[in-house]
Amino acid sequence: MSDCIFCKIINKEIPSKIVYEDEKVIAFNDVNPAAPIHILVVPKKHIETLLDVSDEDSAIISHIYKVINKIAKQEDFAKNGFRVITNCGRDSGQEVMHIHFHVLGGKKLGDKIVE
Ligand code: DGP
């Protein structure tokens, strides 16, 4: 059994508010939202960080962007716009070591990507 919190969410060992799921990807609401819309899009394959993405994983990453497109239309925030962020490693503050894509929206986001 994995100690990874996102693997536990994928395996339904801990609950989450799922907004999209298919055989490769799951997307759920962030437990600590930084914006009115804050969805995490996560590959089911356990990949720790962006630096661990292999050539064979590139299809998953491209699929994730298609899924984000689908979710933005499904959840009706596509037309207003949104931001996608992936933290990687210490300086980014990455807390969960299972690669994920933050999808943020639902309000006018700050002009600066970093403080
Ligand atoms: P990062 O700093 O990029 O690793 O972001 C991790 C995000 O994961 C953070 O915004 C909070 C969210 N998170 C952590 N634990 C849980 C959880 O158990 N459930 C949900 N839904 N989100 C979680």
Short mmCIF file of all heavy atoms in Angstrom, two decimals, residues 59-99:
data_model
loop_
_atom_site.label_atom_id
_atom_site.label_comp_id
_atom_site.label_asym_id
_atom_site.label_seq_id
_atom_site.Cartn_x
_atom_site.Cartn_y
_atom_site.Cartn_z
N ALA A 59 2.93 10.95 -23.31
CA ALA A 59 1.53 10.83 -23.76
C ALA A 59 0.58 11.17 -22.60
O ALA A 59 -0.49 11.75 -22.83
CB ALA A 59 1.26 9.42 -24.27
N ILE A 60 0.97 10.82 -21.38
CA ILE A 60 0.11 11.12 -20.21
C ILE A 60 0.05 12.63 -20.01
O ILE A 60 -1.02 13.19 -19.76
CB ILE A 60 0.66 10.44 -18.93
CG1 ILE A 60 0.68 8.93 -19.07
CG2 ILE A 60 -0.17 10.85 -17.71
CD1 ILE A 60 1.25 8.19 -17.88
N ILE A 61 1.21 13.29 -20.13
CA ILE A 61 1.24 14.74 -19.90
C ILE A 61 0.39 15.45 -20.96
O ILE A 61 -0.40 16.35 -20.64
CB ILE A 61 2.70 15.27 -19.91
CG1 ILE A 61 3.54 14.55 -18.86
CG2 ILE A 61 2.72 16.79 -19.71
CD1 ILE A 61 3.05 14.64 -17.43
N SER A 62 0.50 15.00 -22.19
CA SER A 62 -0.31 15.61 -23.24
C SER A 62 -1.79 15.33 -22.99
O SER A 62 -2.65 16.21 -23.17
CB SER A 62 0.22 15.13 -24.59
OG SER A 62 -0.77 14.66 -25.39
N HIS A 63 -2.09 14.14 -22.52
CA HIS A 63 -3.49 13.79 -22.18
C HIS A 63 -4.01 14.71 -21.08
O HIS A 63 -5.17 15.14 -21.11
CB HIS A 63 -3.56 12.32 -21.76
CG HIS A 63 -4.93 11.86 -21.39
ND1 HIS A 63 -5.97 11.82 -22.29
CD2 HIS A 63 -5.45 11.47 -20.20
CE1 HIS A 63 -7.06 11.39 -21.67
NE2 HIS A 63 -6.77 11.19 -20.41
N ILE A 64 -3.17 15.02 -20.10
CA ILE A 64 -3.58 15.89 -18.99
C ILE A 64 -4.04 17.25 -19.51
O ILE A 64 -5.04 17.80 -19.06
CB ILE A 64 -2.45 16.01 -17.94
CG1 ILE A 64 -2.43 14.73 -17.10
CG2 ILE A 64 -2.63 17.26 -17.06
CD1 ILE A 64 -1.27 14.62 -16.15
N TYR A 65 -3.33 17.80 -20.49
CA TYR A 65 -3.75 19.09 -21.03
C TYR A 65 -5.10 18.98 -21.76
O TYR A 65 -5.92 19.91 -21.70
CB TYR A 65 -2.66 19.70 -21.93
CG TYR A 65 -1.64 20.42 -21.08
CD1 TYR A 65 -0.51 19.77 -20.59
CD2 TYR A 65 -1.83 21.75 -20.70
CE1 TYR A 65 0.40 20.41 -19.77
CE2 TYR A 65 -0.93 22.41 -19.88
CZ TYR A 65 0.19 21.73 -19.42
OH TYR A 65 1.07 22.38 -18.60
N LYS A 66 -5.33 17.85 -22.41
CA LYS A 66 -6.65 17.65 -23.05
C LYS A 66 -7.73 17.56 -21.98
O LYS A 66 -8.84 18.07 -22.15
CB LYS A 66 -6.64 16.37 -23.90
CG LYS A 66 -5.87 16.51 -25.17
CD LYS A 66 -6.04 15.25 -26.03
CE LYS A 66 -4.85 15.09 -26.95
NZ LYS A 66 -4.67 13.72 -27.44
N VAL A 67 -7.40 16.88 -20.87
CA VAL A 67 -8.37 16.74 -19.76
C VAL A 67 -8.68 18.11 -19.16
O VAL A 67 -9.83 18.42 -18.85
CB VAL A 67 -7.82 15.76 -18.70
CG1 VAL A 67 -8.60 15.85 -17.39
CG2 VAL A 67 -7.86 14.33 -19.24
N ILE A 68 -7.65 18.95 -18.99
CA ILE A 68 -7.86 20.29 -18.44
C ILE A 68 -8.82 21.07 -19.36
O ILE A 68 -9.75 21.74 -18.90
CB ILE A 68 -6.52 21.03 -18.24
CG1 ILE A 68 -5.72 20.36 -17.12
CG2 ILE A 68 -6.75 22.51 -17.94
CD1 ILE A 68 -4.27 20.85 -16.99
N ASN A 69 -8.59 20.97 -20.66
CA ASN A 69 -9.48 21.60 -21.64
C ASN A 69 -10.92 21.13 -21.42
O ASN A 69 -11.86 21.94 -21.35
CB ASN A 69 -8.95 21.21 -23.03
CG ASN A 69 -9.74 21.78 -24.19
OD1 ASN A 69 -10.95 21.95 -24.09
ND2 ASN A 69 -9.08 22.05 -25.30
N LYS A 70 -11.10 19.82 -21.28
CA LYS A 70 -12.43 19.24 -21.09
C LYS A 70 -13.07 19.74 -19.79
O LYS A 70 -14.24 20.12 -19.76
CB LYS A 70 -12.27 17.70 -21.06
CG LYS A 70 -13.51 16.94 -21.43
CD LYS A 70 -13.24 15.43 -21.44
CE LYS A 70 -12.59 14.95 -22.72
NZ LYS A 70 -12.48 13.46 -22.79
N ILE A 71 -12.30 19.73 -18.70
CA ILE A 71 -12.83 20.15 -17.39
C ILE A 71 -13.23 21.64 -17.45
O ILE A 71 -14.27 22.02 -16.90
CB ILE A 71 -11.79 19.93 -16.28
CG1 ILE A 71 -11.54 18.44 -16.06
CG2 ILE A 71 -12.23 20.59 -14.97
CD1 ILE A 71 -10.34 18.14 -15.16
N ALA A 72 -12.41 22.46 -18.09
CA ALA A 72 -12.69 23.90 -18.15
C ALA A 72 -14.05 24.14 -18.84
O ALA A 72 -14.81 25.03 -18.44
CB ALA A 72 -11.58 24.63 -18.90
N LYS A 73 -14.36 23.34 -19.85
CA LYS A 73 -15.66 23.48 -20.52
C LYS A 73 -16.76 22.87 -19.67
O LYS A 73 -17.82 23.48 -19.48
CB LYS A 73 -15.58 22.82 -21.90
CG LYS A 73 -14.69 23.62 -22.84
CD LYS A 73 -14.36 22.87 -24.10
CE LYS A 73 -13.41 23.70 -24.97
NZ LYS A 73 -12.74 22.88 -25.99
N GLN A 74 -16.50 21.68 -19.13
CA GLN A 74 -17.49 20.97 -18.30
C GLN A 74 -17.89 21.81 -17.08
O GLN A 74 -19.06 21.90 -16.73
CB GLN A 74 -16.86 19.65 -17.85
CG GLN A 74 -17.63 18.82 -16.83
CD GLN A 74 -16.74 17.69 -16.26
OE1 GLN A 74 -16.26 16.83 -17.00
NE2 GLN A 74 -16.52 17.70 -14.96
N GLU A 75 -16.90 22.44 -16.43
CA GLU A 75 -17.16 23.21 -15.20
C GLU A 75 -17.46 24.68 -15.49
O GLU A 75 -17.60 25.49 -14.59
CB GLU A 75 -15.97 23.09 -14.23
CG GLU A 75 -15.62 21.67 -13.84
CD GLU A 75 -16.72 20.98 -13.01
OE1 GLU A 75 -17.23 21.61 -12.07
OE2 GLU A 75 -17.07 19.83 -13.34
N ASP A 76 -17.49 25.02 -16.79
CA ASP A 76 -17.94 26.33 -17.26
C ASP A 76 -17.03 27.50 -16.85
O ASP A 76 -17.52 28.59 -16.57
CB ASP A 76 -19.38 26.57 -16.75
CG ASP A 76 -20.13 27.55 -17.65
OD1 ASP A 76 -19.77 27.65 -18.85
OD2 ASP A 76 -21.04 28.23 -17.16
N PHE A 77 -15.71 27.27 -16.82
CA PHE A 77 -14.82 28.41 -16.61
C PHE A 77 -13.88 28.65 -17.79
O PHE A 77 -13.01 29.51 -17.73
CB PHE A 77 -14.04 28.30 -15.28
CG PHE A 77 -13.18 27.06 -15.14
CD1 PHE A 77 -11.89 27.04 -15.64
CD2 PHE A 77 -13.67 25.94 -14.49
CE1 PHE A 77 -11.09 25.92 -15.51
CE2 PHE A 77 -12.88 24.80 -14.35
CZ PHE A 77 -11.60 24.78 -14.85
N ALA A 78 -14.08 27.90 -18.87
CA ALA A 78 -13.20 28.04 -20.04
C ALA A 78 -13.22 29.46 -20.59
O ALA A 78 -12.17 30.05 -20.88
CB ALA A 78 -13.61 27.04 -21.13
N LYS A 79 -14.41 30.02 -20.70
CA LYS A 79 -14.50 31.34 -21.37
C LYS A 79 -13.90 32.46 -20.53
O LYS A 79 -13.41 33.45 -21.06
CB LYS A 79 -15.94 31.65 -21.79
CG LYS A 79 -16.92 31.81 -20.66
CD LYS A 79 -18.32 32.10 -21.22
CE LYS A 79 -19.37 32.29 -20.14
NZ LYS A 79 -19.34 31.30 -19.05
N ASN A 80 -13.90 32.31 -19.21
CA ASN A 80 -13.33 33.36 -18.34
C ASN A 80 -11.83 33.24 -18.18
O ASN A 80 -11.18 34.18 -17.71
CB ASN A 80 -13.99 33.33 -16.96
CG ASN A 80 -15.40 33.87 -17.00
OD1 ASN A 80 -15.77 34.60 -17.92
ND2 ASN A 80 -16.19 33.49 -16.03
N GLY A 81 -11.27 32.09 -18.49
CA GLY A 81 -9.83 31.89 -18.38
C GLY A 81 -9.43 31.28 -17.04
O GLY A 81 -10.22 31.24 -16.10
N PHE A 82 -8.20 30.83 -17.00
CA PHE A 82 -7.71 30.12 -15.82
C PHE A 82 -6.19 30.01 -15.91
O PHE A 82 -5.58 30.38 -16.93
CB PHE A 82 -8.37 28.74 -15.70
CG PHE A 82 -8.21 27.86 -16.92
CD1 PHE A 82 -7.19 26.93 -16.99
CD2 PHE A 82 -9.08 27.99 -18.00
CE1 PHE A 82 -7.05 26.13 -18.12
CE2 PHE A 82 -8.94 27.20 -19.13
CZ PHE A 82 -7.91 26.27 -19.19
N ARG A 83 -5.57 29.50 -14.86
CA ARG A 83 -4.11 29.35 -14.82
C ARG A 83 -3.78 27.90 -14.44
O ARG A 83 -4.50 27.31 -13.62
CB ARG A 83 -3.56 30.32 -13.77
CG ARG A 83 -2.05 30.33 -13.63
CD ARG A 83 -1.60 31.46 -12.69
NE ARG A 83 -1.81 32.77 -13.28
CZ ARG A 83 -1.87 33.91 -12.60
NH1 ARG A 83 -1.72 33.91 -11.29
NH2 ARG A 83 -2.08 35.06 -13.22
N VAL A 84 -2.71 27.37 -15.02
CA VAL A 84 -2.26 26.01 -14.72
C VAL A 84 -0.85 26.10 -14.15
O VAL A 84 0.02 26.74 -14.76
CB VAL A 84 -2.26 25.12 -15.98
CG1 VAL A 84 -1.79 23.70 -15.65
CG2 VAL A 84 -3.65 25.07 -16.61
N ILE A 85 -0.64 25.47 -12.99
CA ILE A 85 0.68 25.53 -12.32
C ILE A 85 1.10 24.13 -11.89
O ILE A 85 0.29 23.38 -11.33
CB ILE A 85 0.62 26.45 -11.07
CG1 ILE A 85 0.39 27.90 -11.48
CG2 ILE A 85 1.90 26.33 -10.23
CD1 ILE A 85 0.19 28.86 -10.32
N THR A 86 2.37 23.81 -12.13
CA THR A 86 2.96 22.60 -11.57
C THR A 86 4.18 22.98 -10.76
O THR A 86 5.12 23.57 -11.31
CB THR A 86 3.36 21.61 -12.68
OG1 THR A 86 2.18 21.17 -13.35
CG2 THR A 86 4.07 20.38 -12.11
N ASN A 87 4.14 22.72 -9.47
CA ASN A 87 5.32 22.94 -8.64
C ASN A 87 6.28 21.77 -8.80
O ASN A 87 5.86 20.63 -9.01
CB ASN A 87 4.90 23.06 -7.16
CG ASN A 87 4.15 24.36 -6.89
OD1 ASN A 87 4.51 25.41 -7.40
ND2 ASN A 87 3.10 24.27 -6.09
N CYS A 88 7.58 22.08 -8.70
CA CYS A 88 8.60 21.03 -8.83
C CYS A 88 9.71 21.29 -7.82
O CYS A 88 10.47 22.26 -7.96
CB CYS A 88 9.15 20.99 -10.25
SG CYS A 88 10.41 19.72 -10.47
N GLY A 89 9.76 20.45 -6.80
CA GLY A 89 10.90 20.48 -5.88
C GLY A 89 10.84 21.58 -4.83
O GLY A 89 9.86 22.31 -4.70
N ARG A 90 11.93 21.70 -4.10
CA ARG A 90 12.01 22.50 -2.87
C ARG A 90 11.63 23.96 -3.05
O ARG A 90 10.78 24.48 -2.32
CB ARG A 90 13.43 22.39 -2.30
CG ARG A 90 13.59 23.02 -0.93
CD ARG A 90 15.06 23.22 -0.59
NE ARG A 90 15.68 24.13 -1.55
CZ ARG A 90 17.00 24.23 -1.74
NH1 ARG A 90 17.82 23.46 -1.07
NH2 ARG A 90 17.49 25.08 -2.62
N ASP A 91 12.27 24.65 -4.00
CA ASP A 91 12.03 26.09 -4.10
C ASP A 91 10.60 26.43 -4.53
O ASP A 91 10.12 27.53 -4.27
CB ASP A 91 13.03 26.74 -5.08
CG ASP A 91 14.39 26.98 -4.44
OD1 ASP A 91 14.55 26.65 -3.24
OD2 ASP A 91 15.29 27.50 -5.13
N SER A 92 9.93 25.49 -5.16
CA SER A 92 8.54 25.74 -5.57
C SER A 92 7.58 25.52 -4.42
O SER A 92 6.42 25.93 -4.49
CB SER A 92 8.15 24.79 -6.71
OG SER A 92 7.94 23.49 -6.20
N GLY A 93 8.04 24.82 -3.38
CA GLY A 93 7.15 24.47 -2.26
C GLY A 93 6.31 23.24 -2.53
O GLY A 93 5.30 23.02 -1.86
N GLN A 94 6.70 22.41 -3.50
CA GLN A 94 5.94 21.18 -3.77
C GLN A 94 5.82 20.36 -2.49
O GLN A 94 6.83 20.01 -1.88
CB GLN A 94 6.62 20.35 -4.87
CG GLN A 94 5.84 19.07 -5.20
CD GLN A 94 6.49 18.23 -6.31
OE1 GLN A 94 7.57 18.57 -6.82
NE2 GLN A 94 5.84 17.14 -6.68
N GLU A 95 4.56 20.11 -2.09
CA GLU A 95 4.31 19.37 -0.84
C GLU A 95 4.03 17.91 -1.11
O GLU A 95 4.43 17.05 -0.31
CB GLU A 95 3.09 19.96 -0.11
CG GLU A 95 3.35 21.29 0.57
CD GLU A 95 2.07 21.92 1.08
OE1 GLU A 95 1.02 21.24 1.10
OE2 GLU A 95 2.13 23.09 1.45
N VAL A 96 3.30 17.64 -2.17
CA VAL A 96 2.92 16.27 -2.46
C VAL A 96 3.79 15.77 -3.62
O VAL A 96 3.75 16.32 -4.73
CB VAL A 96 1.42 16.17 -2.82
CG1 VAL A 96 1.04 14.73 -3.15
CG2 VAL A 96 0.56 16.72 -1.68
N MET A 97 4.56 14.73 -3.34
CA MET A 97 5.55 14.25 -4.31
C MET A 97 4.91 13.24 -5.28
O MET A 97 5.34 12.08 -5.39
CB MET A 97 6.76 13.67 -3.58
CG MET A 97 7.47 14.70 -2.71
SD MET A 97 7.90 16.23 -3.57
CE MET A 97 9.37 15.71 -4.41
N HIS A 98 3.88 13.70 -5.93
CA HIS A 98 3.19 12.96 -7.01
C HIS A 98 2.76 14.07 -7.96
O HIS A 98 1.92 14.91 -7.58
CB HIS A 98 2.01 12.18 -6.42
CG HIS A 98 1.24 11.35 -7.41
ND1 HIS A 98 0.78 10.07 -7.13
CD2 HIS A 98 0.81 11.62 -8.68
CE1 HIS A 98 0.12 9.59 -8.17
NE2 HIS A 98 0.12 10.51 -9.13
N ILE A 99 3.35 14.10 -9.14
CA ILE A 99 3.15 15.24 -10.04
C ILE A 99 1.67 15.58 -10.19
O ILE A 99 0.83 14.68 -10.30
CB ILE A 99 3.82 14.98 -11.41
CG1 ILE A 99 3.89 16.25 -12.25
CG2 ILE A 99 3.14 13.87 -12.17
CD1 ILE A 99 4.72 16.11 -13.53
#
